Amino acid sequence: MAMLQEERDIGVLTAVMSLLLSIVASTPEGYSGVVPKCIRIMERLTSLRDVPQEYTYYGIPSPWLQVKTLRVLQYFGMPDDPSERKTLLEILPRVLANSQTVDNVNKNNAVHAVLFECINLVIHLEEQNDMMKQCIQLLGKFIAVREANIRYLGLENMGRLALIPEMLENIKKHQDQIILSLKDNDISIRRRALDLL
């Protein structure tokens, strides 16, 4: 499987990552060797931006491949190798920083898909308080937008961060907006806000 992750063709690589994601979702044991390759794929997409034009979607290098790669990484812990760890810790803040909302719905969907998987990985790794604080700031913006799906995902992910005691003070800064969500027309948003509170 690790050899297939070295594929240069983005279409084939996306198919490989779909297969890998299915495999590790059922049993990640024995597949930790894919982690360095996943980190290199993310580096290729986010740092080097080594992606053909036909796989760039509204200026985002292959968001589908990024989502799958970030999701695969969530089945494993932080890499032990210092250089891999360093590379991953450089990639994640870069992805978080590229999350500006624009007027184009399609671009927003792609940006948010990558962003929420990145946030899920940061939460999973639970190692970088600064990055988790950055996630809370982003989620604070998302729970205040008009788009119901984004508000829902923001509240849901903030709820996951609330399970980490060190993050509670940062989440409390958004308490007014969370309380305001209790009055939302959408019952699922009200439930998420109530769960978070």
Side-chain angles (χ1 to χ4, degrees):
M1 187 59 71
M3 291 287 286
L4 290 171
Q5 287 181 284
E6 294 177 10
E7 175 63 51
R8 297 300 301 163
D9 183 278
I10 296 291
V12 174
L13 188 55
T14 302
V16 167
M17 292 307 292
S18 294
L19 174 62
L20 179 59
L21 182 57
S22 297
I23 292 170
V24 298
S26 64
T27 177
E29 291 81 23
Y31 286 94
S32 59
V34 302
V35 171
K37 305 283 186 182
C38 287
I39 293 171
R40 280 200 266 311
I41 290 168
M42 285 303 296
E43 183 178 36
R44 175 182 172 193
L45 297 174
T46 62
S47 305
L48 306 174
R49 297 181 76 83
D50 178 20
V51 179
Q53 185 60 40
E54 63 267 22
Y55 289 101
T56 301
Y57 185 74
Y58 289 97
I60 305 161
S62 191
W64 313 276
L65 180 55
Q66 288 190 56
V67 165
K68 290 173 186 190
T69 306
L70 289 166
R71 199 170 290 165
V72 166
L73 287 169
Q74 291 170 49
Y75 287 94
F76 305 96
M78 185 64 86
D80 294 327
D81 180 271
S83 73
E84 291 168 9
R85 183 185 197 98
K86 179 179 182 284
T87 303
L88 183 59
L89 293 176
E90 289 170 354
I91 291 168
L92 295 176
R94 188 176 304 118
V95 173
L96 292 173
N98 291 330
S99 62
Q100 292 77 22
T101 303
V102 295
D103 289 334
N104 186 308
V105 174
N106 292 327
K107 180 173 183 174
N108 279 340
N109 289 340
V111 167
H112 293 142
V114 173
L115 176 68
F116 281 114
E117 286 305 326
C118 184
I119 289 171
N120 287 334
L121 179 57
V122 170
I123 293 169
H124 169 74
L125 296 175
E126 264 190 49
E127 295 208 16
Q128 297 296 317
N129 282 351
D130 289 341
M131 254 192 288
M132 284 194 275
K133 289 175 186 173
Q134 186 180 0
C135 291
I136 291 170
Q137 286 178 328
L138 285 170
L139 294 171
K141 291 177 187 174
F142 290 141
I143 64 174
V145 300
R146 287 185 314 161
E147 167 89 34
N149 290 335
I150 299 301
R151 281 199 320 273
Y152 178 89
L153 290 170
L155 290 164
E156 180 180 48
N157 282 287
M158 202 174 270
R160 291 182 59 214
L161 280 162
L163 298 174
I164 303 167
E166 299 84 30
M167 295 297 112
L168 290 178
E169 284 304 314
N170 292 291
I171 291 173
K172 284 182 183 175
K173 294 174 185 173
H174 304 281
Q175 188 168 339
D176 291 343
Q177 187 60 47
I178 297 166
I179 290 170
L180 191 60
S181 296
L182 291 172
K183 299 174 184 174
D184 198 279
N185 292 332
D186 187 326
I187 190 168
S188 62
I189 290 176
R190 293 195 308 263
R191 285 183 182 149
R192 281 286 144 237
L194 189 58
D195 288 346
L196 176 53
L197 287 173

